[in-house]
Amino acid sequence: MGIKTFWYLTQADGDYPWSHNGLFPVDGTRQIELAETIDEGGFDGALVATWPNDPFISATWAAAHTSRMKFLVAVYANMTPARLLAEKALTFDAFSGGRLMINSVNGRENILTKYDMNVEHDRRYELGEQYWADFHRIYAEGTESNFPNTPLRIDPPSCGHTVPLWGTGDSPAGLENAGKVLDAYLIMLRETTFVDAKFTAARESAAAQGREYTDFGALSGVIVRPTQAEALDRFRSLFENAGIDRIREVLDDAVRRRTHGQQDLTTFTARDAQRQGWVDTINAGKLPEPDDLYLGDGLYAGITAWSPLDIFATGSSAVYYAGTPDEITGHVRTLRDKTGLTSLILAGWPLIDEAKYVAEHLIPRFREL
């Protein structure tokens, strides 16, 4: 079956969007160009994230300019009434030919409180279970005109069609919820042993509910080049263009935030020697080298538009495959064989440029796995 390959469709774009001058302004025309690049490049689809745009509107904007790619749209359960979301989904699928997928996001308190969703962590999962049950029921029923003299209906694209629900769940409550409601299980990519443990726990959770997942996916950055030296030069430039001052500032803020002001980067102690080495190097005013950032299994700890260097070892999305097409494909093959991985959601910046590299060098290889 090969590996399904998704890209990111987001305004978090730029030459180096983690630096002050590297972020592109919001631009609908460039969003269309990115969607067309994904569509024409052979990607299965794209994750439409919530940063900082409305993902449903972004997906709708892009769907009008594409013909085959699918849109994995991030949705917070209970933020939109289930009936309204079902009506939006039915309309999107009717116009796009059934290309909608949903990434169920449980969310963090600092985000949800902005929308007056003041619900405890585990309780959010309980409410989400009923929410997605209502959504699927209403979607399957279709929707009809509110005006009795207008016999107009929108039904799902085909009998039995439903919107696939992707997502994750790491806590006991999240894992139980995933087994009950999700069709596909997602994680932030890490080393193979980590991925295997997460996927095994997810399988067991679904099996306890008499269910199976259709897909197992992981999110990662990627830099693919004809030679390893070229890939690592580009990877190194992520840090060089951010600059030591910016990296130190972001990590210091992250430490203060996570420790509620009790620590800063100079007093922080990492969970393992490798990450402590990164911290010590940065505190000394130097940038870590790619060799220092190598995690194993082809992965390097890096920077993304939404995640700093993972000094906390908490499963950040800021890891990268960096290498040649054959090297990266080999690592993905091993990961697939050992864990059951079926899908990758990849990103690299600028998004259009890096998507072209992936379309040329990786997608044909991934299809043959």
Side-chain angles (χ1 to χ4, degrees):
M1 295 293 292
I3 295 292
K4 299 174 186 177
T5 312
F6 294 78
W7 199 244
Y8 270 84
L9 185 69
T10 175
Q11 290 290 328
D13 195 7
D15 292 316
Y16 299 94
W18 38 84
S19 61
H20 290 296
N21 299 318
L23 185 66
F24 295 154
V26 174
D27 184 345
T29 300
R30 191 179 61 253
Q31 190 85 341
I32 291 171
E33 184 182 353
L34 173 58
E36 291 174 339
T37 300
I38 296 168
D39 198 53
E40 296 167 5
F43 289 87
D44 290 272
L47 173 61
V48 191
T50 60
W51 190 89
N53 52 291
D54 179 283
F56 229 112
I57 292 176
S58 297
T60 303
W61 175 254
H65 301 274
T66 57
S67 61
R68 49 166 302 279
M69 65 177 287
K70 295 189 176 182
F71 296 87
L72 182 56
V73 178
V75 174
Y76 289 95
N78 288 295
M79 190 174 291
T80 302
R83 179 168 295 279
L84 178 57
L85 181 64
E87 291 171 351
K88 288 158 65 84
L90 284 161
T91 306
F92 188 100
D93 272 343
F95 289 171
S96 71
R99 292 191 281 147
L100 177 65
M101 305 162 66
I102 288 178
N103 177 32
S104 173
V105 183
N106 194 52
R108 298 192 302 270
E109 290 184 6
N110 65 318
I111 296 174
L112 296 178
T113 52
K114 293 180 180 179
Y115 303 95
D116 296 324
M117 294 181 65
N118 301 303
V119 182
E120 293 182 356
H121 178 273
D122 289 4
R123 179 60 176 159
R124 293 202 297 268
Y125 283 115
E126 293 175 11
L127 295 174
E129 182 180 346
Q130 184 61 52
Y131 178 83
W132 290 119
D134 291 342
F135 166 81
H136 284 304
R137 174 180 54 78
I138 297 166
Y139 180 91
E141 293 171 352
T143 185
E144 58 187 25
S145 171
N146 291 324
F147 301 99
N149 291 334
T150 308
L152 184 66
R153 284 185 54 82
I154 301 179
D155 290 309
S158 60
C159 181
H161 175 86
T162 189
V163 180
L165 198 62
W166 293 45
T168 191
D170 199 38
S171 67
L175 198 59
E176 181 181 0
N177 176 262
K180 289 180 178 179
V181 306
L182 298 182
D183 299 299
Y185 187 77
L186 286 172
I187 62 168
M188 302 298 183
L189 189 57
R190 295 278 291 279
E191 299 91 324
T192 301
T193 54
F194 175 91
V195 175
D196 187 41
K198 293 295 183 183
F199 285 176
T200 297
R203 284 191 187 92
E204 292 173 352
S205 175
Q209 305 298 326
R211 303 177 68 245
E212 293 182 354
Y213 294 108
T214 61
D215 285 279
F216 287 89
L219 291 75
S220 171
V222 64
I223 298 174
V224 58
R225 295 293 189 272
T227 69
Q228 179 76 357
E230 291 176 90
L232 292 184
D233 282 346
R234 175 60 184 175
F235 178 77
R236 183 183 290 106
S237 75
L238 308 186
F239 291 84
E240 293 173 343
N241 282 274
I244 185 62
D245 292 339
R246 175 61 175 163
I247 291 173
R248 187 162 45 198
E249 173 191 5
V250 169
L251 291 177
D252 186 69
D253 286 346
V255 171
R256 292 174 186 272
R257 186 170 58 253
R258 286 176 179 244
T259 63
H260 305 287
Q262 295 181 15
Q263 289 182 294
D264 59 23
L265 189 61
T266 63
T267 60
F268 173 75
T269 301
R271 294 184 182 182
D272 57 68
Q274 183 181 28
R275 286 173 171 79
Q276 187 60 48
W278 306 342
V279 173
D280 294 341
T281 298
I282 291 167
N283 278 328
K286 300 177 182 178
L287 295 172
E289 288 294 321
D291 285 349
D292 302 323
L293 297 164
Y294 185 66
L295 299 170
D297 299 331
L299 297 173
Y300 294 80
I303 312 170
T304 70
W306 41 81
S307 293
L309 181 65
D310 183 22
I311 61 174
F312 304 102
T314 54
S316 164
S317 61
V319 298
Y320 283 77
Y321 280 121
T324 68
D326 288 342
E327 288 169 342
I328 294 174
T329 302
H331 288 300
V332 171
R333 179 185 293 109
T334 299
L335 184 65
R336 187 273 314 272
D337 292 346
K338 291 186 176 181
T339 70
L341 178 87
T342 66
S343 304
L344 282 172
I345 301 175
L346 301 172
W349 289 268
L351 289 168
I352 292 172
D353 299 56
E354 293 298 327
K356 292 177 180 178
Y357 279 109
V358 172
E360 178 181 358
H361 296 295
L362 291 181
I363 289 180
R365 288 173 170 83
F366 286 175
R367 283 177 179 158
E368 296 176 357
L369 287 176

